[in-house]
Amino acid sequence: MRPLTPRLGLFDSGLGGITVLKKVVERHGDISCVYLGDTARLPYGEKQPAEIRLIAKEVVEWLLSQDVSAILVACNTTNSLAIDIVQNISTVPVLNLINAAAEMTTESRVGVLATSATAASSAYKKRIEAFRPGTLVIENACPEFVPMIENGELCQESMKRFAIEYLKPLLEAHVEAIILGCSHYPLIQPFLQELVPKGIRLIDPAIGIACQLDRVLGEPQSICQRPCKVSNTRFFVTSNPIGFSLRTLPWLGNRPEVELISLQPKACFF
Ligand code: DGL
């Protein structure tokens, strides 16, 4: 049976989906959510497409077993490589970050920073070009960012060196906006903003997905004042719940209770 009040299901490999959860709560209030961080298999972005697709199936089946009324794919890598699987399996509405970002993009020269798998799939390029033909889209992979963010190695000299290298082809192409095409990256948005010339807009697709949620939840009567409290979310991970709870502290402002689950791989052929 579906819950009477909406319950959203969000998932990511780890901390990244927190950026989406926060935007949702900022817009729609402290609604009931189920958050799954598949920490045992982090990072998704360095895996092969077949594995990302297999994982997506398991994760979505698990979320559906939690009686969610909509699924927010809070992971760009899954959006890029397995959104068809998520949509096929899901019996509830599915919202995705790439559509949200494409709708938010108005510039004609756009850069995308993303995981290796997302960049290799060209999912952002294809979606934006379909949505706004003629837009120049340059994607670049940033393989070091997710491990550094998860390890709390934030905004240090080493991260700066990687960021400068990752941004280089985008800046050389004179992009006017840069999409943060991995849900972990908004956690370092102020740091990235300092490394790009003024006037280049950094786009967080989570803002767009929170607005798209209006189609499921209705338009909010008033937008919440920051900081928003996240207290109606149940957090689950596939390894190290205590570590995850500690790592969320800087982003949530409190240490949530985090439950451990196991997702058993099942045979599946796509
Ligand atoms: N945060 C996810 C994304 O948006 C996955 C990052 C990873 O695990 O590599 O792509």
Side-chain angles (χ1 to χ4, degrees), residues 12-13 16 42-46 74-77 115 118 146 181-184:
D12 181 46
S13 57
L42 183 141
Y44 282 0
E46 301 305 306
C75 167
N76 291 265
T77 307
T115 64
T118 298
V146 168
C182 166
S183 55
H184 280 74

Side-chain angles (χ1 to χ4, degrees), residues 40-55:
R41 296 186 282 198
L42 183 141
Y44 282 0
E46 301 305 306
K47 296 193 188 313
Q48 292 303 308
E51 192 176 359
I52 294 165
R53 290 170 70 75
L54 186 60
I55 290 173

Side-chain angles (χ1 to χ4, degrees), residues 12-19 21-22 35-37 39 42 149-152 154 184 187 228 230 233-237 239-259:
D12 181 46
S13 57
L15 282 179
I18 299 278
T19 63
L21 176 64
K22 285 186 76 175
Y35 184 100
L36 173 59
T39 43
L42 183 141
I149 293 169
E150 288 283 340
N151 291 335
L154 296 173
H184 280 74
L187 297 173
C228 269
V230 177
T233 297
R234 280 186 76 183
F235 289 90
F236 298 87
V237 290
S239 80
N240 194 0
I242 293 171
F244 184 81
S245 175
L246 279 169
R247 291 201 301 280
T248 61
L249 180 62
W251 315 114
L252 290 176
N254 64 333
R255 271 191 59 188
E257 214 175 280
V258 181
E259 296 164 60

Side-chain angles (χ1 to χ4, degrees), residues 16-79:
I18 299 278
T19 63
V20 180
L21 176 64
K22 285 186 76 175
K23 293 295 175 213
V24 166
V25 170
E26 278 171 18
R27 186 168 178 87
H28 292 279
D30 192 8
I31 52 174
S32 170
C33 297
V34 173
Y35 184 100
L36 173 59
D38 190 6
T39 43
R41 296 186 282 198
L42 183 141
Y44 282 0
E46 301 305 306
K47 296 193 188 313
Q48 292 303 308
E51 192 176 359
I52 294 165
R53 290 170 70 75
L54 186 60
I55 290 173
K57 181 175 182 288
E58 291 166 15
V59 166
V60 171
E61 282 173 349
W62 183 83
L63 278 178
L64 290 171
S65 76
Q66 301 302 302
D67 285 332
V68 296
S69 36
I71 291 179
L72 272 71
V73 184
C75 167
N76 291 265
T77 307
T78 308
N79 275 284

Side-chain angles (χ1 to χ4, degrees), residues 164 166-175 178 195-197 200:
I164 289 169
Y166 297 150
L167 286 164
K168 197 166 175 232
L170 277 50
L171 300 182
E172 281 175 358
H174 303 291
V175 298
I178 297 176
L195 297 177
V196 300
I200 297 186

Side-chain angles (χ1 to χ4, degrees), residues 186-200:
L187 297 173
I188 54 167
Q189 183 162 349
F191 163 79
L192 291 173
Q193 191 75 64
E194 292 215 338
L195 297 177
V196 300
K198 282 202 171 44
I200 297 186

